[in-house]
Structures are given as C-alpha cells and as structure tokens.
C-alpha cells in the first residue's frame, strides 16, 4: 500500500508529448518541433531527494523527479512531459496497488 494520495497536491499542469511519426509540417518541410501534445494533466512534480534519490541511483536510473498524476493510458515510455519551458523524459512508471487510480512516473529533467 502506497498510502493516501491527495489530489489537492496536483498543482502543476503538465503537457504529455509524444514524438511525431514524421516530423514535418503540412508542406512536407522539416518541423522545428518533433513532438506533439497528446494530453494535459494536473500532477504533483517532486524532485527526488535523500533516500529516494539514492535508491534510484542504485537501480541505475537517472531519474531526478517523480511525477504523480491520475491514471491515464496516455503515458508511454516514448513520452516526455513539459512544464513551462522544462522538459522531463520518461524513466519508469508504477501503478500503485494496480488500482488504475494514480501513476507515479520517474523522470529525468533535460539539462
């Protein structure tokens, strides 16, 4: 049991983006943005600290943050998350208690 998740903590609006199959515009010219928005979600964005960061490093993960959001099938390993100008790449995801209520996604912030 992960514990109680308070949806009131979902204070960050994140865009879920996926890579375009062929990054080009309507005229066949290369597109400057190779990703497209597939969904927007309210989430909790937390940097990994202390023990959680240490455990992620031990698992050979490069995760720097955890994103908690309501369950959605829009989250896939090829996705990235955008929060303002910040980008986060998918590392792994957990469906707590396999209840399809929430997702905890480990992500790496692009530098």
């Amino acid at each position: 049991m992960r514990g109680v998740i308070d949806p009131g903590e979902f204070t960050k609006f994140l865009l879920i983006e996926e890579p375009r199959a062929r990054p080009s515009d309507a005229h066949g010219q290369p597109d400057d943005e190779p990703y497209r928005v597939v969904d927007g979600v309210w989430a909790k964005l937390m940097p990994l600290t202390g023990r959680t960061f240490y455990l992620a490093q031990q698992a050979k993960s490069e995760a720097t943050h955890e994103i908690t959001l309501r369950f959605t099938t829009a989250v896939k390993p090829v996705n990235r998350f955008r929060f303002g100008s910040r980008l986060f790449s998918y590392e792994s995801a957990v469906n707590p208690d396999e209840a399809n209520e929430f997702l905890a996604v480990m992500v790496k912030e692009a530098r």
Side-chain angles (χ1 to χ4, degrees):
M1 176 82 173
R2 182 178 165 88
V4 177
I5 298 175
D6 179 8
E9 295 179 359
F10 295 178
T11 59
K12 308 289 192 255
F13 189 76
L14 305 175
L15 298 176
I16 301 173
E17 300 178 334
E18 71 179 7
R20 293 179 189 259
R22 283 184 275 161
S24 60
D25 65 14
H27 304 287
Q29 299 300 314
D31 194 342
D32 292 337
E33 184 56 58
Y35 283 81
R36 70 178 190 93
V37 175
V38 292
D39 203 357
V41 295
W42 287 98
K44 178 179 178 181
L45 175 63
M46 295 292 297
L48 297 183
T49 57
R51 181 173 169 78
T52 308
F53 183 75
Y54 175 77
L55 291 173
Q57 295 298 309
Q58 296 303 309
K60 306 292 187 226
S61 171
E62 296 183 18
T64 59
H65 291 73
E66 179 179 354
I67 296 172
T68 305
L69 62 147
R70 289 193 181 276
F71 182 83
T72 176
T73 57
V75 176
K76 299 181 175 88
V78 297
N79 294 140
R80 70 181 186 185
F81 295 86
R82 180 182 297 273
F83 177 59
S85 62
R86 298 169 67 187
L87 294 173
F88 299 89
S89 60
Y90 177 106
E91 289 285 314
S92 64
V94 175
N95 179 356
D97 298 330
E98 297 186 12
N100 292 351
E101 294 177 355
F102 298 99
L103 283 177
V105 185
M106 303 301 279
V107 295
K108 177 183 175 188
E109 185 169 11
R111 302 279 175 183

